[in-house]
Amino acid sequence: MFNSLSDRLTATFTNLRGKGRLTESDINSTIRDIRMALLDADVALPVVKQFTRGVRERALGAEVSQALNPGQQVVKIVNEELVEILGGQTRRLNMAKSGPTVIMLAGLQGSGKTTFAGKLARRLRDEGHFPVLVAADLQRPNAVRQLEVVGERAGVPVFSPERGNEGGHDAVSENAEGTRSYGDPVWVAQAGVNQAKLRQYDVVIVDTAGRLAVDENLMQQAADIREAINPHEVLFVIDAMIGQAAIETATAFQDGVDFTGVVLSKLDGDARGGAALSVASITGRPIMYASTGEGVKDIEVFHPDRMASRILD
Ligand code: GDP
C-alpha cells in the first residue's frame, strides 16, 4: 500500500544517514522532501503540518546537534513522530470484565465491514473465544445472507433477523417500546446481544448498515444501535483506498457515532493510502486492525511502530 511513500522517504534518508554535522539548510531540505512525499501520498494537510513541525523542532534541537550520528538521529525522530501520528502504542480490544464483549462495526457500504466481521470473529475464535455475529445491516437486501456466508466461512454462528436468532425465537424479549420487528436493525442488534448473553457467547460482533455516502439516516440508525446495545468497542471500518474522502468520512462518523477505534481495510491495495493514515491523528482514535485481503485470515493487529518501520525501511 505505501510503496511509493516508502520509496520517497527512503531516498530522502539515504543522503542523510551518512552525514556528519547537519546544517539548518540540510534539515530544512529534508523536511521539505518529507512534506512533499506525505502530501503526494495523500496524507491530510493538518497532519502533514503537525508532523513536520514536530520533526523540525526536534531536528533543530540539541538532540541532533549533539548526536554522534546526526543523520541517523533525524531518521529516528521521523520514525518516532510517524508512530505518534499513527496512534502511538498498539491498542488492544477493550474486553468486558463480565458478560459478552459487544463490538459494533460502522462504516460506509463497501468499506469492508462484513468481510472484516468474519475475520475478527475467526481470529477471536482461534484465540479461544466464543463469538457470535449479528446481522443488523437490513439496508441492503443481500447483506444478511452475506454475513451468513461470512459466518460459515469463519466457523462462527450468525444471529440474523430472518431466522429470528441462531436457533429459535423463544428467548428473544421485546424491546423497550414493546414493539418487535425483524425489520428494525436496532431491535435485531439488541436481540442479538440478548441471545449472546443467554447462550453464553463471550463476544458479539454487530454488523450495521452502510450507505454509499454519509447520510443523516445512516448516522441516526448507527447512533440508535449504539445507544441500545452500549458496545465496548465501536470500530469504524474505512477503505484505505478512498483517498482524501477518508478525512471527511471519518469526521462524520466520529460526530455521528463516536467510534472507539479504526479498522483500515484493503491495505493490500496499491493506492497511496496516506489519507487513511491520517485518520488516527485527525480523530484521535487509534487504528486497531488492518484488513489485508478478501480471505478470512487476512487481518492484522495494527502496530503503529511496525507500520512506521515498514514505511521508513
Ligand atoms: P461492506 O459493505 O462494508 O460490508 O463491505 P464488504 O465486506 O461487503 O466488502 C466490499 C468488497 O470489498 C467485497 O468485494 C470484499 O470482498 C472486498 N474487501 C473487503 N475487505 C477487503 C480487503 O481487505 N482487501 C481487499 N482486496 N478486498 C476487500
Side-chain angles (χ1 to χ4, degrees):
M1 167 64 77
F2 304 110
N3 292 346
S4 79
L5 174 63
S6 183
D7 290 349
R8 291 270 300 269
L9 292 175
T10 311
T12 304
F13 296 144
T14 307
N15 295 331
L16 213 58
R17 276 185 208 269
K19 281 207 175 192
R21 285 194 47 202
L22 293 182
T23 62
E24 191 168 337
S25 112
D26 288 330
I27 289 172
N28 284 337
S29 86
T30 302
I31 287 172
R32 212 167 26 244
D33 288 350
I34 295 172
R35 183 186 158 84
M36 288 311 297
L38 294 172
L39 287 173
D40 284 350
D42 259 354
V43 177
L45 186 58
V47 179
V48 175
K49 282 189 173 157
Q50 184 195 335
F51 181 78
T52 48
R53 199 181 313 123
V55 173
R56 182 190 304 274
E57 272 168 22
R58 292 181 58 188
L60 291 175
E63 199 178 336
V64 166
S65 61
Q66 288 168 17
L68 280 177
N69 190 328
Q72 263 177 4
Q73 189 65 18
V74 172
V75 178
K76 182 164 170 276
I77 291 171
V78 170
N79 186 310
E80 288 168 4
E81 293 290 324
L82 191 54
V83 173
E84 274 314 300
I85 294 288
L86 293 176
Q89 297 213 331
T90 304
R91 222 298 243 118
R92 304 280 176 180
L93 283 178
N94 169 29
M95 303 299 276
K97 305 266 179 312
S98 66
T101 301
V102 179
I103 302 170
M104 171 178 166
L105 304 182
L108 293 180
Q109 185 179 317
S111 61
K113 266 189 319 300
T114 307
T115 311
F116 176 75
K119 296 176 185 183
L120 182 62
R122 172 56 177 261
R123 187 185 177 95
L124 289 167
R125 198 198 77 164
D126 289 348
E127 288 172 2
H129 290 282
F130 297 97
V132 61
L133 290 157
V134 176
D137 176 357
L138 310 186
Q139 216 69 36
R140 252 187 325 139
N142 239 341
V144 172
R145 179 71 201 127
Q146 192 195 342
L147 192 70
E148 286 175 344
V149 171
V150 160
E152 260 162 48
R153 249 182 239 153
V156 170
V158 177
F159 177 97
S160 59
E162 269 97 341
R163 283 184 290 141
N165 63 38
E166 177 268 321
H169 309 168
D170 48 314
V172 178
S173 59
E174 295 184 344
N175 68 12
E177 286 77 38
T179 52
R180 195 177 161 145
S181 155
Y182 295 125
D184 174 3
V186 178
W187 182 84
V188 169
Q190 222 168 15
V193 173
N194 289 341
Q195 279 295 307
K197 282 183 186 150
L198 280 168
R199 290 161 188 258
Q200 307 202 329
Y201 289 106
D202 66 347
V203 185
V204 195
I205 301 170
V206 181
D207 190 21
T208 66
R211 301 274 206 294
L212 286 173
V214 173
D215 79 44
E216 267 179 40
N217 285 341
L218 160 74
M219 270 327 155
Q220 193 54 50
Q221 185 186 97
D224 290 346
I225 293 177
R226 180 180 181 146
E227 199 180 323
I229 62 176
N230 193 19
H232 300 84
E233 295 279 9
V234 180
L235 301 184
F236 167 60
V237 181
I238 185 156
D239 178 341
M241 313 228 276
I242 76 170
Q244 290 291 353
I247 306 306
E248 196 187 327
T249 311
T251 310
F253 273 87
Q254 188 183 25
D255 294 345
V257 271
D258 191 15
F259 50 85
T260 58
V262 179
V263 176
L264 291 187
S265 72
K266 310 190 192 177
L267 265 197
D268 51 313
D270 57 6
R272 289 171 289 188
L277 288 185
S278 320
V279 165
S281 178
I282 297 261
T283 63
R285 298 288 181 270
I287 303 170
M288 295 177 64
Y289 289 98
S291 212
T292 54
E294 293 182 88
V296 76
K297 293 205 160 179
D298 297 328
I299 172 175
E300 290 172 22
V301 172
F302 188 89
H303 299 287
D305 53 350
R306 286 190 213 165
M307 181 53 82
S309 303
R310 215 148 94 186
I311 293 172
L312 295 179
D313 281 353

